[in-house]
Amino acid sequence: MRRGKEAGRRRGRAPLADIIPRRKRPQVSGGAWRRGGARCWSRGWLLSPAGRPYLDSILQKNQRRAFGLLEHPALPPPLAAPTVAYKLFLSGKSGVGKTALVAALAGTPVPPLHHETLGIEATTVYWPAKLRASGRPVLFQLHFWDCGDGALKKFEHLLPACKEEADAVLFLFSFTDRSSFEELPAQMSRVLGPDEENLVRVVVGTKFDLSPQADVTEGDVTAFEGTWGLPVLRAGSGPGSGAGRGGLARVAPLLDALVERLWRRDQIAAGVAPGGEGSPPD
């Protein structure tokens, strides 16, 4: 049954050629991307007056709407946007906040106490964004797969299932747990094989707002980014941080960064953008 659902999701992906203008654009170096120099999305557009109809489509009574498997945001026909679906697998040691991060991104209640995820939990998040080059909105359907670290170690078939047809792996560490940060290289090599370079690697530091308890410094993060060439995204730990309009402003930078990295990967794979880190907006 799961394979059928995944296949159906893939068939629903909008062709990139229908969304991205086919013309040559200058290439941007990886360093510029890591410093945030080039972006293909209009950051903050969803929270602006122009993005209001798309924002309303993912809200219900001013709170984030939880979408079921067959549900989809409703938009007026003149504002219809193509839907692009991605599967993202979260990896990290127990207690770093994988379940809490997904809850914040989805706008659902964050568990007040830590509890080990016993199996696989899949959560769907819809996120509208607008291309800067064409001004065309795109609706992203993000499938977050969360699996408990203990379950992954106990059942060998869970890791291949989580990575099957995945587009990205989110490697999480906690700013309050230095061991989770130091284990990142081993974790990445353990989860991803040499033939899985097509998967986008994203590193997310959780509990960033608990600075008095931080065991990981900004210097540590900068050194990691320089060594591995991977930008580190940051997420807070506040309860209900993604619920309502105010919460959206807190999680929007992280969701924007995720869809931008995935979109650039697809640009390059489709031959629309040159290799490297993708192309900048006009």
Side-chain angles (χ1 to χ4, degrees), residues 50-184:
R52 178 66 181 269
Y54 298 91
L55 174 63
D56 290 342
S57 72
I58 61 172
L59 295 177
Q60 188 173 36
K61 296 181 179 180
N62 263 349
Q63 297 294 315
R64 294 285 295 280
R65 177 183 170 189
F67 291 92
L69 182 63
L70 301 179
E71 293 181 312
H72 192 276
L75 287 165
L79 300 178
T83 300
V84 181
Y86 291 114
K87 176 181 175 181
L88 305 93
F89 166 51
L90 284 81
S91 173
K93 65 177 294 188
S94 178
V96 296
K98 298 187 292 294
T99 302
L101 175 63
V102 174
L105 296 179
T108 57
V110 177
L113 299 175
H114 169 258
H115 64 89
E116 182 73 14
T117 303
L118 300 179
I120 297 175
E121 293 183 1
T123 304
T124 299
V125 176
Y126 283 96
W127 188 250
K130 188 180 76 169
L131 283 165
R132 293 182 64 183
S134 66
R136 184 175 182 181
V138 177
L139 185 61
F140 288 95
Q141 185 183 32
L142 305 176
H143 300 274
F144 290 96
W145 283 48
D146 172 23
C147 187
D149 190 46
L152 284 173
K153 294 176 180 177
K154 185 175 181 180
F155 303 105
E156 295 182 354
H157 67 281
L158 289 182
L159 180 57
C162 289
K163 294 192 299 179
E164 183 180 12
E165 295 193 8
D167 298 286
V169 178
L170 275 60
F171 295 99
L172 271 64
F173 73 92
S174 170
F175 274 92
T176 62
D177 182 357
R178 186 168 185 83
S179 65
S180 67
F181 176 75
E182 294 175 342
E183 292 173 10
L184 277 176

Side-chain angles (χ1 to χ4, degrees), residues 196-207:
E196 294 174 320
E197 291 296 325
N198 60 311
L199 292 177
V200 175
R201 294 182 299 166
V202 181
V203 179
V204 181
T206 62
K207 306 177 184 179

